[in-house]
């Protein structure tokens, strides 16, 4: 038996050991399994109501640039671009890895000759050749895109711009375009080298521009916080802390 101060010391040690054990258990079971806020609270799933700047932004996440021309002219354009030429076989990874992009000949279904050079995708296409664009969303978020071809918006036929269009690509989804408001997508005759230097939202003949946005109804990924069940006893960790940010 123990009594007096010895008993108090042992009791204090037991309480401390229990507290540390609970703390370690809480940390092992809780901190290792934190989820983003949108996975914890379904009310943060915005169901079409923009609530974060990236969901309602008017400036695109990125603009993919595609230059096309007849094969012999395409070689001259890439020489003028003066960068490393990376020949693609099918899809090219673009927009910091956000999208994969390729072009197909409609008549044969074959992938068209294409090369990445200086951040631009160069595609070989003959005048009046019918083609389709195939885009793959590599992210886990829905995307909205606006597409301008030869200076025209594919949805409206009006002057192209880097606008948030109604075209949508679901998470890990694919979008295929072979028609515009003006009919089938057809390559045109490209004259000169000015298409390389046109960086305006309007674009011109020979230039395809794809503006990429995070969809307005994409889930909100916010800071990760400790839930009540993850807070250690005896106030050894302050409520709501620590916070982790992606």
């Amino acid at each position: 038996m123990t009594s007096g101060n010895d008993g108090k010391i042992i009791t204090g040690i037991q309480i401390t050991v229990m507290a540390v054990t609970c703390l370690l258990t809480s940390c092992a079971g809780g901190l290792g399994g934190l989820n983003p806020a949108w996975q914890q609270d379904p009310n943060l799933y915005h169901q079409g109501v923009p609530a974060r700047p990236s969901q309602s932004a008017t400036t695109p996440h990125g603009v993919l640039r595609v230059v096309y021309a007849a094969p012999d002219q395409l070689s001259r354009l890439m020489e003028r671009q003066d960068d490393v030429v990376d020949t693609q076989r099918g899809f090219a990874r673009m927009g910091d890895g956000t999208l994969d992009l390729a072009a197909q000949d409609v008549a044969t279904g074959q992938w068209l000759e294409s090369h990445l050079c200086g951040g631009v995708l160069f595609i070989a296409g003959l005048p009046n050749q019918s083609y389709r664009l195939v885009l793959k969303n590599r992210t886990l978020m829905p995307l909205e895109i606006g597409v301008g071809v030869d200076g025209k918006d594919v949805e409206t036929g009006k002057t192209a711009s880097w606008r948030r269009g109604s075209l949508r690509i679901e998470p890990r989804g694919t979008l295929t375009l072979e028609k515009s408001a003006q009919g089938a997508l057809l390559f045109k005759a490209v004259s000169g080298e000015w298409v390389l230097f046109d960086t305006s939202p309007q674009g011109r003949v020979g230039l395809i521009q794809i503006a990429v946005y995070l969809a307005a109804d994409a889930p909100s990924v916010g800071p990760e916080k400790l839930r009540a069940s993850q807070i250690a006893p005896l106030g050894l960790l302050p409520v709501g802390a620590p916070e982790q940010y992606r």
Side-chain angles (χ1 to χ4, degrees):
M1 295 180 61
T2 59
S3 60
N5 290 335
D6 290 341
K8 292 179 180 179
I9 292 173
I10 292 175
T11 301
I13 292 174
Q14 290 174 338
I15 292 174
T16 303
V17 170
M18 291 175 61
V20 172
T21 301
C22 292
L23 172 60
L24 292 175
T25 302
S26 176
C27 290
L31 292 178
L34 287 176
N35 291 321
W38 62 271
Q39 291 180 347
Q40 297 176 25
D41 185 355
N43 294 324
L44 292 177
Y45 227 98
H46 291 296
Q47 299 181 356
V49 181
R52 295 175 68 82
S54 55
Q55 291 171 290
S56 56
T58 56
T59 300
H61 164 69
V63 178
L64 314 187
R65 287 173 53 83
V66 179
V67 170
Y68 72 79
D72 57 339
Q73 185 181 8
L74 197 71
S75 299
R76 295 195 297 271
L77 289 175
M78 288 189 292
E79 288 177 5
R80 184 66 186 273
Q81 183 78 349
D82 193 24
D83 208 326
V84 176
V85 177
D86 184 9
T87 299
Q88 305 299 297
R89 291 172 176 81
F91 286 93
R93 187 155 296 174
M94 303 187 70
D96 65 14
T98 301
L99 288 174
D100 287 343
L101 174 63
Q104 278 182 315
D105 177 76
V106 171
T108 64
Q110 294 182 344
W111 299 116
L112 297 175
E113 175 191 344
S114 61
H115 313 269
L116 273 174
C117 182
V120 177
L121 183 62
F122 290 82
I123 294 177
L126 297 172
N128 295 318
Q129 181 180 2
S130 182
Y131 68 97
R132 67 171 60 97
L133 297 173
V134 184
L135 300 96
K136 287 186 177 181
N137 179 1
R138 301 190 65 250
T139 76
L140 295 176
M141 294 290 188
L143 302 175
E144 294 170 350
I145 63 171
V147 183
V149 177
D150 300 328
K152 301 294 182 182
D153 186 290
V154 296
E155 293 182 86
T156 65
K158 298 179 180 180
T159 301
S161 64
W162 295 340
R163 70 182 184 90
R164 182 185 287 268
S166 62
L167 295 173
R168 179 184 176 93
I169 314 178
E170 298 299 334
R172 302 292 190 187
T174 301
L175 176 67
T176 301
L177 297 173
E178 60 180 65
K179 294 183 178 180
S180 69
Q182 299 174 313
L185 293 179
L186 300 174
F187 290 127
K188 297 182 179 179
V190 179
S191 58
E193 299 176 342
W194 291 109
V195 66
L196 285 178
F197 310 107
D198 190 335
T199 58
S200 69
Q202 295 75 32
R204 64 175 59 220
V205 171
L207 181 62
I208 300 170
Q209 298 188 102
I210 302 169
V212 183
Y213 296 84
L214 180 66
D217 62 346
S220 173
V221 181
E224 297 179 340
K225 296 185 178 181
L226 286 171
R227 299 185 292 275
S229 62
Q230 295 173 312
I231 299 174
L234 304 180
L236 295 176
L237 288 177
V239 175
E243 292 186 350
Q244 298 177 359
Y245 294 85
R246 291 189 180 278

